[in-house]
Structure formats: structure tokens, C-alpha cells
Amino acid sequence: MACANNVTELIITGLFRDPEVQRVCFVLFLPVYLATVVGNGLIVVTVSVSKSLHSPMYFFLGYLSLVEICYSSTVVPKFITDLLAKVKTISLKGCLAQIFFFHFFGVTEILLLVVMAYDRYVAICKPLHYMNIMSRQLCHMLVAGSWLGGFIHSMMQVLVTVPLPFCGPNVMDHYFCDLQPLFKLACTDTFVEGVTVLANSGLIALCSFLILVSSYIVILLNLRKRSAEGRRKALSTCASHITVVILFFGPAIFLYMRPSSTFTGDKLVAVFYTVITPMLNPIIYTLRNAEVKVAMRKLWARKENSGME
């Protein structure tokens, strides 16, 4: 029997129930979010203005950092402000909007990581043809394809969710809106919808992960023919990307490739990939990349000189 869709506002339980613990979390996570925005923003600016960082690898890195800011900003600002609120609420429309943008930017990031792996494959396995293959036009098409893939994925997720009736209860056991916690509030059987969205997210994550692993297996096999110095240089350009892939895919696969639960541990894993990982990415790329560090120093020196004039 169909139910009236009379729920317009949802109550979010949050990460922890203890007000004291929530205040501690606020003090911890606010600097983390600010570091995420500043760190990734600095990479976007540096790649945009530095003539030495106009290769395809840095072109993709700039867009990855931009997506990281957007991805984190769909969840973290509300999560942080909710830590100080006694009752955490969000409208049903706002919840659907958060789900849309969270999945949009999340899948865009996954596809950009795949694109960056392809870029490293071409650079290492086909170095003589690199500039011909990775043309400016192809780079723009790959970035546009990543954004389009994220948009199509998130539209599918939301279109599955919108027709569901919500007639109570309206308490969501999470700290942000996601599909599985929202499905538990629907007053109808959501088995088909749950399988549909899990297949959608799971297939994208699994296929992308397999492509990434395969590309690095091919790269490692190709490096066996190189000298020790050649192997070291090639692996140093891949190390940052591999680290980011592991940090992003590890928690995501743990949560989305198995039946959902409401354990606090699951929420903490979600905190890792929504709050912590976006902050770590700029640190990983700048610490392991001499060219980015040099470009940032030049940019900083240029600002200081212009300020003194």
C-alpha cells in the first residue's frame, strides 16, 4: 500500500551522541577542513599560474584538487556546524541534494584517478609518443568525460531515490545523507533500489580499481627493462598517485562493497574518506613532488616581492 510522502525534514543522529565528544570533534575537524580547502586551493592556483607545471600530469592534478574541495564541501561544513547543534536537521530536498553532489564529485574523483593512471602509463610505457598521445585536446576531453561520468552516476542514484515515499520515522543514523541510511527511512521495501544503487556505485568503484591495478601491473612489468635509475624516477612519479588511490578506494570499497550496517566504526571509516583523505592528498603530492614544491616557492616569492613594491 502506498504511503503519503509527509516527511519534509530529517533528524541526523551525528557521529557521536556525547556533547563533550562532539565539541572535541569540532575543534579537531574545523582545522582539517580549512587545511583541505587551503592546501588543495594552493595546488589549483600553483598549477594554473606556473609555466613549469603545464604538462598533462599537473593539468589533471589541478582538477583533482578542485574536485577534492567540492567533494569535501558537500559534507564537511554541515557536519562541523552540526557538531555544535543540539538537534541536527536537514530538509528532505537538502538531503537529496547532498546525496547528488556527494556522489557526483566522488565518482568524478574516481574517474580522474583512472585518467591520471592512464597518463602515467603513457608517460612510462610510450615516452616517445607521450606528447602526441596526451594532446591538450585529449586532456580536456578526459576531464570533461570524468565530470560527465560523475553527473550521470549521481543522476541515476537520485532518480532511483526520489520516487520513494517517506512517511516516518525521520531519524537517520548517520552524520550526513547517504543512500543506504536514507533507504532505511522509506515506508516501502527498498530491496530493488538498494541493489540498483549498490550495483551502480560498486561497479564503478570495482571496474575503476581493476583498471588502476592493471595499469600499474603493466607499468611495473615495463620497468623491468629499465635501469635502476630509470625505475626510481618512474616509480617516484607514480608513488603519490598510488598512495592517493589506496587512501580513497580502501575505505570506499570497505563501505560500499558489502551489506550496510549502522556501527559507529562504519561512520568513522566514512569520516576518513570524507574529511581526512581530501586533506592528505595535497600533502602527499607536494611532499613527493619536487616540481610542485619549487613552483609553490616561486609563487610565494613572487607574492612577497609584489607585496614589498
Side-chain angles (χ1 to χ4, degrees):
M1 185 180 294
C3 298
N5 195 3
N6 55 12
V7 171
T8 58
E9 190 174 68
L10 302 173
I11 297 172
I12 300 171
T13 60
L15 189 59
F16 298 106
R17 304 292 178 95
D18 189 334
E20 203 62 42
V21 175
Q22 291 188 70
R23 282 192 285 271
V24 171
C25 288
F26 176 84
V27 173
L28 289 174
F29 292 140
L30 179 59
V32 169
Y33 175 65
L34 294 176
T36 299
V37 175
V38 172
N40 283 292
L42 188 58
I43 288 180
V44 173
V45 172
T46 304
V47 170
S48 300
V49 302
S50 300
K51 293 178 181 178
S52 60
L53 301 181
H54 279 185
S55 67
M57 180 172 73
Y58 298 114
F59 176 76
F60 297 134
L61 176 59
Y63 275 101
L64 180 69
S65 294
L66 177 63
V67 170
E68 288 282 25
I69 294 171
C70 299
Y71 172 73
S72 182
S73 297
T74 60
V75 171
V76 182
K78 169 127 180 67
F79 166 52
I80 291 173
T81 54
D82 279 349
L83 288 170
L84 299 180
K86 288 184 179 179
V87 181
K88 305 161 182 52
T89 61
I90 187 170
S91 68
L92 183 58
K93 288 181 179 178
C95 184
L96 290 170
Q98 189 177 64
I99 288 171
F100 173 83
F101 287 109
F102 177 70
H103 282 264
F104 173 37
F105 294 120
V107 170
T108 300
E109 179 171 351
I110 287 173
L111 297 177
L112 277 173
L113 289 171
V114 173
V115 165
M116 292 173 79
Y118 175 69
D119 172 68
R120 292 300 82 207
Y121 160 76
V122 176
I124 293 168
C125 299
K126 301 178 185 293
L128 299 177
H129 304 284
Y130 178 70
M131 293 312 297
N132 288 331
I133 295 173
M134 299 304 295
S135 64
R136 203 69 179 167
Q137 184 182 8
L138 178 64
C139 290
H140 281 102
M141 286 175 62
L142 290 172
V143 168
S146 299
W147 286 97
L148 181 62
F151 179 78
I152 292 171
H153 161 79
S154 55
M155 279 299 295
M156 289 172 64
Q157 303 291 69
V158 171
L159 287 174
V160 168
T161 310
V162 166
L164 292 175
F166 295 94
C167 48
N170 68 334
V171 179
M172 180 184 292
D173 188 14
H174 215 311
Y175 67 90
F176 71 98
C177 285
D178 205 358
L179 290 160
Q180 294 300 337
L182 184 61
F183 284 171
K184 290 177 182 177
L185 303 183
C187 45
T188 186
D189 181 45
T190 58
F191 176 77
V192 174
E193 288 82 2
V195 170
T196 302
V197 299
L198 189 65
N200 191 1
S201 297
L203 280 174
I204 289 174
L206 185 61
C207 292
S208 300
F209 188 71
L210 290 174
I211 291 169
L212 287 163
V213 170
S214 301
S215 67
Y216 277 107
I217 289 173
V218 173
I219 287 170
L220 290 172
L221 290 173
N222 186 273
L223 287 177
R224 290 191 305 174
K225 306 169 188 175
R226 305 280 185 93
S227 64
E229 180 64 17
R231 282 197 297 270
R232 188 191 65 78
K233 285 184 178 179
L235 287 172
S236 69
T237 66
C238 298
S240 301
H241 186 254
I242 293 171
T243 306
V244 170
V245 166
I246 292 169
L247 286 173
F248 187 86
F249 276 91
I253 289 173
F254 173 78
L255 287 180
Y256 287 100
M257 296 297 287
R258 65 184 183 84
S260 63
S261 67
T262 56
F263 298 131
T264 303
D266 283 12
K267 294 182 190 177
L268 292 174
V269 171
V271 166
F272 187 79
Y273 71 79
T274 56
V275 183
I276 307 299
T277 301
M279 179 198 68
L280 292 177
N281 288 358
I283 296 172
I284 292 165
Y285 276 109
T286 51
L287 285 180
R288 296 196 59 89
N289 195 301
E291 285 183 289
V292 174
K293 285 191 282 190
V294 169
M296 282 185 175
R297 286 195 202 103
K298 287 180 179 177
L299 181 64
W300 189 257
R302 195 187 310 168
K303 283 187 175 181
E304 285 186 338
N305 292 334
S306 62
M308 292 171 65
E309 290 174 0

